[in-house]
Amino acid sequence: MKPARMVALALALGGAEALAQTPPQVRAPRLTQFIEATYPPGRLSDPQEAAVLLELTLTAEGTVRHIDVRESAGEDFDAAATAAAQQFVFEPALVNGVPSPIRLRYRYRFHPPAPPPPPPPPPPPVVEAPPPPPPPPPPPVVTRPGRLLPPVAPRSAEEPEMVVTSSRLRRHAVSTEVTADQARRLPGTSGDVLRVVENLPGVARSSVGSGQLVVWGASPQDTRVYLDGVPVPRLYHDGGLRSIVPSEVVDSVELVPGAYGAAYGRGLGGLVSATTRPLDRAGVHGVLDANVYDLSGSVRTSLGNRWYAEVSARRSHLDSLLGAVSGEEVSALFPVPRYLDAQARVAWAISPRERLEITALTSSDRTERLSPSADPSLTSSDDRSLTFHRVYARYRRQSLDGSAVTVTPYVGVDQRDSRARVGQVDTSLSSNTLLVGLRANWRQRLRPWATLEAGLDAEVSSAQLQRSGSIALPAREGDARVFGQPPPDRVGFDTWDTVSVGLAPYVEADFTPFGDRLHITPGLRVDPSARSVSRRTPVEGDTPRLGLFSQNFSLEPRLALLAHLTRALTVKAAAGRYQQSAQTDDLSAAFGTPTLTPSNATHALTGVGVQLTGTLSVEVTGFITLSNGLAVRNPSPTPLRAEALVATGEGRAFGAQVLLRQQLARGFVGWVSYSLIRSERRDGPDGLWRLFDYDQTHVLTTLFTYDLGRGFEAGLRFRVATGYPRTPVTGAWYDASRDRWQPVFGAQNTERLPTFVQLDARLAKTFRIGRTSLDLTLEVQNATNYANAEEVVYSPDFARRGYISSLPLLPVLGARWTF
Amino acid sequence: MDLLKASLPLLLLGCAPEIADDTTRITDARILAVRAEPAEAAPGESVRFTALVASRDGTLREATVDWSFCNARPSLSESGPVSARCLTDGDWLVPLGRGLDATGALPMDACRTFGPDAPINQQGASGARPFDPDVTGGYQQPLRASLRRQTDAVTGVVSARIACGVQGVTQAESAEFTRRYHRNHLPEITGFQAIVGGATAALEAEDATPLTVAPGASVRLQVQHPPCADETACGGAERYVVYDRAARALAVREEVLRVSWFATDGSFSDVRTTGENTWRAPAAPGAVTLWAVLRDDRGGVAWRSTRVNVQ
């Protein structure tokens, strides 16, 4: 078996532009140890050329810290290229003569192995520039006025083979990033890239069908979700089966469970940040993906040398499938989510380091359920929908030394409608929100040891809301209730408008007094905000409504420390203050409190990371979060008007997480993550601490994928998670007016659902069809058919109880054609 | 495909446990319903409360029921219809009497404690939040009824509808509401019959000659009530006005009547229905008592019972 030959490696730093300020000298890294990749054995029957575009993150010592596959040539080629590049050694990039960490792109080309004799010559260990001379002489790189570096090679005819991108600021002390190409191959995700988030450390297992993100013991609504830096209302479609953008569009997803940098705020929990795949590939390419849940397609094309476009769409058909094979009764009884999403993107490569992208996306969900009953008091229906749109532009300009400017203006609309009926009790909540925002970020390396980042995170939202029904529905965190309990039949009604304005400038620095060995990253976010609510008090006859205006100012300091004690050992610590405005849903004069104040949180963490081998690492992080000012129900039996909620709740969560991660090597990729977390709440300073409704003490996730060769790939995911807390029912009394038994509760959240255990398996086969590939995937969820308890249900008189179990063994077939 | 068609619903349905609802089976003495007469009264007006107490041997003519008003307001964090304090003893309980029935005047401050009038809060402020009305626009005074049995006691809570008017409306709307609203009238059962093998038979009271059915027989039971017209008091599904807060106008609603079914043996196809149900006689011969309790949306209650001889 002949190794492949890497025949071209171009170093191209041409096209550089002088910056307005005095940029430092930059010398690109040089490859000093090249490792040949093994041509995938499964391809030898039909050998062909292939190229994998890698993005390498280099340390100041010139070793490869991280690899992302930016353009895939197939999973086997990706694996071979990544395994080889992981062992590369570079002469470090120099910034003003100081070795500096840097990221660059590297295209690994595979050529079919030559006939056996004579053996091909070994590839050159160091390739600096391609020999073919370009027609026009290359312009010199101007890095400082009056001083020129030697000319470097020009860009290749189509695109650069290697481009220094930036030295990214170490904004988050702890985060886990997974590339799309890797995430799609992991078991348990059904090929959906963003669903990998639920497998990351610090994330609780969400109940089947909920798709809620509980990160480090924070409420789901406290964790913010961003797509290209633009906030979106959710990560998953209804049911949690699929994410809001198809995998073809996603480049990577990053989870930051806490203590994140100053660029982000307005949330007490973690943040999930997904980025879209760069549009920079020539030609026409696309993906068609069909599985049990939905059908999606994506086409991207280049329009000349500098313009690129992509359109993609997805529509669910699970409801149709169920209807076809089981009749309407099942679809009527069980809430089968219906969703669609679509994206359109245009990119303009203004220059090699300057791009403008415009993205429009829409997402729509609708779930309907009808439970008829001979008993009119038990007839129930549930109809929920959420539609949101986003249009944003993203302008980025990067310079050779890592300085960069990113400006992302955006506008969006969220439309939410929820209607439920149990017996005679109607409950509805609808909201219509207009969102306008701007995220601007400027980063500059001021000195070889200091990088400064400053920016603005502005967000303006205008919402119109209407709610009717029981104040007890939807249930809030801390409510003692049982699953399926009919809501109280006392009802109210309210309509209200809110306008919120937040202009948060921030600044963050990255000091590296000892090169890459130590990063000191202080940051400060100033978050002044203003809010108006249309109604201060409930509707009273023809009394004119009186609005409310309030403002708030918060200083949110952040600090992160990262020290590479040795090449393999890293220690870190971080802390920060965070603030979150009251939810607009809670600002009703009838159902909430218009004067609710923001809630606050403090995060602190410390951890250690060890690089065990070139591709195997382990990271241990301990953390604590403290929050106060949480909105809870007013405990008084005689609360004042427009004070149904009070901001007296407090929370605390602490624990540790471990991530043992194997990057792609020899066809094997995967990780073991374990989180030990205790999250507690109390409703006021004098209250007793109790378990948080979403507390999960232990969450263990093990997953891996292995390339079996010949296009086959297999993977397993095994999860163990402590059950959610529940409040025990200790008795019952008879409500003779309603002919209904009512529960008597014991101490709050003092029992738990049984431990969740599940094994998922995935088998995939890739067929090469000319220049295209077809992936067939079979994923078997809950392969052992273990009956996991998802919820406690009681007999009507609460004398007996049982568990609703999660889905039984469920095979999910999928096909994906890439061209 | 046939296998898939057959198994898919089972896969989905298999996620929920089968917990039988046997609340229709009377195995021990318990309160099945409490009738308030009149069905709706203003604060200070006298109301007579009567309990339907069923036992394995049929309807009890005598029973020890301790009656008391419960004046504890539930907090907003309580999911039940009344405060959990109503189940415990304290000064929020106002004793009313003992026996199968009791009579007492609704508390004068009932509309302030449980109605639309703003209560005085614990700090003495007068701007406290009034009670939200129920879906019929009404308000209820809780009443605790504890049935003493030989070895224990079972607690039931009933809500007496208070005539409090309407909250948060203009003077004109309030006047219009007062003019058009009629207080709830107790529902009436005008017919209680069984259909066995195509033959219809009226079901008599427990002490009359019982209907005889075969073991395991399927018996169709029917409860009938009078029709109602317009917004007048009636023993059937009455029409009444309610203030629609979304539309900010008075609206006319019609009550939905439902029947709760109980028996000392055998099984019903449904626990509650709108008027008809199927009862399957037990396999073993013996006497069985059946109860049908008719309720309207506004707290009105009526009942019938009968005895069936299975042989």
Side-chain angles (χ1 to χ4, degrees):
Chain A
M1 190 176 302
K2 293 295 179 186
R5 282 195 305 141
M6 196 280 295
V7 296
L9 174 62
L11 181 64
L13 297 175
E17 296 172 321
L19 299 176
Q21 300 184 2
T22 57
Q25 295 179 21
V26 176
R27 200 194 75 183
R30 292 185 176 193
L31 183 61
T32 58
Q33 176 180 305
F34 171 78
I35 302 297
E36 290 182 9
T38 303
Y39 196 91
R43 305 282 187 156
L44 290 175
S45 59
D46 180 22
Q48 53 189 278
E49 293 190 355
V52 181
L53 183 61
L54 304 172
E55 187 167 271
L56 311 179
T57 302
L58 305 185
T59 66
E61 289 76 28
T63 57
V64 179
R65 179 184 299 281
H66 183 72
I67 299 176
D68 290 328
V69 176
R70 293 304 176 190
E71 280 182 16
S72 171
E75 293 170 358
D76 44 3
F77 281 120
D78 298 350
T82 305
Q86 192 72 51
Q87 303 172 65
F88 284 1
V89 177
F90 289 80
E91 186 178 310
L94 298 180
V95 179
N96 281 348
V98 177
S100 301
I102 208 161
R103 291 204 305 175
L104 57 87
R105 291 194 170 189
Y106 184 101
R107 188 177 296 280
Y108 207 120
R109 290 192 186 280
F110 290 85
H111 279 231
V126 178
V127 181
E128 190 160 320
V141 178
V142 180
T143 59
R144 178 171 292 175
R147 185 176 177 187
L148 302 180
L149 286 178
V152 296
R155 296 170 56 206
S156 61
E158 295 182 354
E159 55 188 327
E161 295 289 347
M162 179 185 284
V163 172
V164 176
T165 54
S166 71
S167 57
R168 194 164 60 168
L169 196 70
R170 296 179 184 278
R171 179 175 295 141
H172 313 305
V174 57
S175 71
T176 309
E177 184 175 11
V178 185
T179 62
D181 288 321
Q182 188 179 92
R184 194 176 53 247
R185 300 164 55 199
L186 293 172
T189 62
S190 301
D192 191 298
V193 170
L194 297 184
R195 283 193 61 192
V196 75
V197 171
E198 61 197 50
N199 301 299
L200 299 179
V203 181
R205 185 195 73 87
S206 61
S207 301
V208 166
S210 73
Q212 292 177 316
L213 283 176
V214 179
V215 181
W216 274 6
S219 294
Q221 67 268 21
D222 293 345
T223 293
R224 300 201 62 169
V225 180
Y226 294 89
L227 181 65
D228 288 333
V230 176
V232 290
R234 63 188 340 182
L235 185 61
Y236 302 120
H237 285 295
D238 274 350
L241 299 172
R242 311 296 278 176
S243 56
I244 55 166
V245 287
S247 298
E248 300 80 61
V249 177
V250 179
D251 186 53
S252 67
V253 60
E254 180 182 25
L255 168 74
V256 189
Y260 44 84
Y264 292 91
R266 303 194 181 103
L268 301 185
L271 69 89
V272 176
S273 178
T275 55
T276 53
R277 191 180 292 271
L279 291 175
D280 54 6
R281 195 173 172 191
V284 178
H285 305 278
V287 173
L288 273 179
D289 193 322
N291 53 60
V292 170
Y293 305 122
D294 53 42
L295 174 68
S296 65
S298 168
V299 177
R300 56 172 57 195
T301 182
S302 56
L303 306 168
N305 291 332
R306 296 188 166 190
W307 286 87
Y308 306 87
E310 178 183 46
V311 292
S312 54
R314 172 168 56 183
R315 187 186 186 283
S316 67
H317 50 228
L318 184 59
D319 58 320
S320 303
L321 278 179
L322 285 177
V325 300
S326 63
E328 294 183 354
E329 67 278 6
V330 171
S331 300
L333 286 170
F334 296 92
V336 182
R338 287 182 291 158
Y339 55 85
L340 61 88
D341 56 63
Q343 303 78 28
R345 303 165 63 207
V346 175
W348 175 30
I350 304 170
S351 74
R353 277 173 295 282
E354 190 174 19
R355 292 179 69 84
L356 175 66
E357 292 181 7
I358 298 176
T359 302
L361 63 91
T362 183
S363 169
S364 176
D365 279 80
R366 187 175 193 89
T367 304
E368 295 170 303
R369 183 180 62 86
L370 173 65
S371 296
S373 172
D375 179 359
S377 68
L378 293 181
T379 298
S380 65
S381 62
D382 194 359
D383 186 353
R384 285 172 285 137
S385 67
L386 171 61
T387 300
F388 71 89
H389 317 284
R390 291 290 184 273
V391 177
Y392 60 90
R394 192 161 54 138
Y395 169 79
R396 287 176 295 169
R397 195 179 74 174
Q398 294 180 313
S399 62
L400 294 174
D401 62 347
S403 303
V405 171
T406 304
V407 180
T408 309
Y410 58 89
V411 61
V413 173
D414 298 349
Q415 295 170 311
R416 185 166 46 119
D417 196 33
S418 170
R419 297 179 186 280
R421 183 180 181 91
V422 179
Q424 298 282 80
V425 183
D426 282 316
T427 300
S428 69
L429 172 63
S430 62
S431 66
N432 198 329
T433 305
L434 172 66
L435 186 69
V436 179
L438 172 69
R439 176 173 288 276
N441 188 283
W442 167 79
R443 184 171 66 234
Q444 177 70 51
R445 182 180 288 267
L446 301 176
R447 294 287 183 272
W449 47 269
T451 299
L452 181 69
E453 182 169 305
L456 176 69
D457 178 10
E459 196 172 292
V460 179
S461 68
S462 172
Q464 294 84 46
L465 301 100
Q466 176 174 307
R467 179 176 171 181
S468 66
S470 168
I471 196 171
L473 201 68
R476 298 184 67 86
E477 198 285 329
D479 284 354
R481 63 189 301 275
V482 296
F483 179 79
Q485 186 178 0
D489 53 11
R490 298 195 306 271
V491 294
F493 176 82
D494 194 18
T495 62
W496 68 103
D497 303 337
T498 69
V499 177
S500 301
V501 179
L503 299 172
Y506 61 86
V507 62
E508 201 161 41
D510 186 11
F511 297 114
T512 54
F514 306 106
D516 193 37
R517 292 183 181 280
L518 176 63
H519 289 261
I520 304 171
T521 311
L524 179 65
R525 181 183 175 95
V526 183
D527 202 348
S529 60
R531 185 183 71 201
S532 74
V533 184
S534 62
R535 194 184 297 281
R536 181 196 294 260
T537 56
V539 177
E540 284 288 343
D542 50 6
T543 304
R545 72 180 186 182
L546 193 61
L548 178 71
F549 178 81
S550 60
Q551 50 191 348
N552 182 66
F553 182 86
S554 73
L555 283 176
E556 300 174 20
R558 317 278 168 87
L559 175 65
L561 303 173
L562 186 75
H564 299 293
L565 301 183
T566 68
R567 286 187 60 173
L569 180 62
T570 303
V571 296
K572 61 194 172 186
R577 287 277 295 167
Y578 303 85
Q579 188 172 83
Q580 178 172 300
S581 297
Q583 307 284 318
T584 54
D585 293 5
D586 292 343
L587 299 177
S588 162
F591 297 96
T593 302
T595 56
L596 268 184
T597 52
S599 44
N600 300 282
T602 301
H603 296 183
L605 66 87
T606 183
V608 58
V610 180
Q611 193 71 37
L612 301 173
T613 68
T615 56
L616 180 65
S617 63
V618 62
E619 188 174 287
V620 181
T621 304
F623 71 91
I624 182 169
T625 68
L626 303 172
S627 52
N628 57 58
L630 306 177
V632 297
R633 292 195 194 276
N634 195 323
S636 169
T638 52
L640 292 176
R641 290 172 191 264
E643 286 191 11
L645 301 173
V646 289
T648 59
E650 297 180 5
R652 64 185 183 192
F654 47 91
Q657 63 179 46
V658 180
L659 177 63
L660 176 66
R661 186 172 184 180
Q662 172 67 58
Q663 298 286 0
L664 187 60
R666 295 175 183 169
F668 185 91
V669 63
W671 64 74
V672 178
S673 76
Y674 169 69
S675 303
L676 173 66
I677 298 174
R678 184 175 179 87
S679 182
E680 299 175 323
R681 293 286 187 278
R682 63 177 178 181
D683 294 338
D686 302 326
L688 296 175
W689 288 102
R690 57 170 171 80
L691 283 178
F692 178 48
D693 282 358
Y694 297 97
D695 176 76
Q696 282 185 356
T697 306
H698 307 280
V699 181
L700 172 69
T701 303
T702 303
L703 77 170
F704 70 87
T705 289
Y706 183 62
D707 185 350
L708 300 171
R710 297 184 179 276
F712 283 99
E713 197 173 61
L716 289 175
R717 178 177 71 164
F718 177 67
R719 291 186 293 166
V720 179
T722 306
Y724 281 126
R726 289 294 179 264
T727 300
V729 173
T730 57
W733 55 272
Y734 184 61
D735 182 350
S737 290
R738 297 167 180 82
D739 184 26
R740 182 182 297 164
W741 292 86
Q742 302 285 353
V744 175
F745 292 104
Q748 195 167 1
N749 285 350
T750 51
E751 66 175 21
R752 288 183 181 273
L753 295 172
T755 299
F756 174 92
V757 180
Q758 183 164 311
L759 178 70
D760 308 309
R762 175 181 179 271
L763 180 66
K765 164 68 176 171
T766 301
F767 298 92
R768 308 294 298 190
I769 307 171
R771 291 182 170 273
T772 71
S773 65
L774 175 66
D775 299 322
L776 297 181
T777 306
L778 171 63
E779 185 170 282
V780 181
Q781 298 183 3
N782 194 13
T784 61
N785 199 28
Y786 188 79
N788 281 298
E790 292 288 352
E791 195 49 85
V792 189
V793 288
Y794 291 87
S795 61
D797 58 355
F798 297 93
R800 294 177 307 283
R801 73 177 196 172
Y803 293 107
I804 294 179
S805 57
S806 60
L807 293 173
L809 185 147
L810 187 66
V812 178
L813 281 169
R816 175 186 168 90
W817 180 49
T818 308
F819 59 94
Chain B
M1 182 60 80
D2 289 342
L3 178 63
L4 183 59
K5 282 184 178 180
S7 61
L8 190 58
L10 294 177
L11 286 176
L12 295 170
L13 291 167
C15 297
E18 285 293 333
I19 301 180
D21 182 355
D22 57 359
T23 53
T24 60
R25 178 76 69 87
I26 302 300
T27 57
D28 203 348
R30 54 175 284 207
I31 297 175
L32 299 186
V34 172
R35 181 172 60 224
E37 299 173 88
E40 182 172 357
E45 291 182 355
S46 183
V47 180
R48 178 173 184 240
F49 299 97
T50 305
L52 168 62
V53 181
S55 74
R56 180 88 185 124
D57 300 322
T59 304
L60 295 184
R61 306 299 176 195
E62 291 183 357
T64 304
V65 179
D66 292 318
W67 301 87
S68 51
F69 284 123
C70 175
N71 291 328
R73 277 173 64 104
S75 71
L76 298 175
S77 58
E78 294 189 71
S79 59
V82 302
S83 170
R85 288 183 293 170
C86 291
L87 305 177
T88 62
D89 293 335
D91 59 5
W92 46 84
L93 294 180
V94 179
L96 204 57
R98 175 176 294 177
L100 263 184
D101 58 66
T103 301
L106 291 178
M108 291 302 294
D109 60 353
C111 289
R112 183 173 295 279
T113 308
F114 299 106
D117 301 340
I120 307 296
N121 76 354
Q122 292 170 323
Q123 287 74 41
S126 60
R129 176 192 179 95
F131 241 62
D132 287 332
D134 67 15
V135 292
T136 67
Y139 303 90
Q140 286 89 29
Q141 164 73 48
L143 186 77
R144 191 175 89 172
S146 296
L147 171 66
R148 293 190 184 182
R149 299 191 295 201
Q150 286 188 336
T151 57
D152 61 357
V154 287
T155 299
V157 173
V158 63
S159 301
R161 188 176 177 94
I162 325 164
C164 288
V166 65
Q167 171 222 352
V169 298
T170 64
Q171 285 190 341
E173 290 167 337
S174 178
E176 175 73 2
F177 179 85
T178 304
R179 185 181 66 79
R180 291 178 56 185
Y181 182 78
H182 68 87
R183 294 183 185 180
N184 189 29
H185 188 80
L186 283 174
E188 300 168 31
I189 296 177
T190 54
F192 185 30
Q193 57 192 27
I195 303 173
V196 187
T200 302
L203 294 170
E204 305 296 337
E206 290 178 54
D207 51 2
T209 304
L211 174 72
T212 299
V213 300
S218 179
V219 181
R220 191 70 183 158
L221 302 171
Q222 292 179 333
V223 164
Q224 293 165 333
H225 49 77
C228 297
D230 301 328
E231 300 169 32
T232 56
C234 168
E238 297 173 277
R239 294 177 186 172
Y240 60 99
V241 293
V242 63
Y243 185 72
D244 186 329
R245 295 180 182 278
R248 302 195 69 177
L250 294 181
V252 177
R253 299 268 173 82
E254 182 174 357
E255 291 177 339
V256 175
L257 302 187
R258 57 196 175 104
V259 182
S260 303
W261 302 90
F262 305 93
T264 54
D265 207 349
S267 61
F268 292 99
S269 58
D270 292 295
V271 177
R272 283 175 290 269
T273 67
T274 54
E276 290 192 11
N277 203 355
T278 299
W279 174 72
R280 183 168 294 279
V288 176
T289 306
L290 301 177
W291 290 269
V293 178
L294 177 67
R295 289 181 172 87
D296 65 28
D297 288 340
R298 293 190 287 168
V301 181
W303 59 73
R304 287 282 191 92
S305 62
T306 190
R307 193 173 293 266
V308 176
N309 194 18
V310 179
Q311 64 178 28

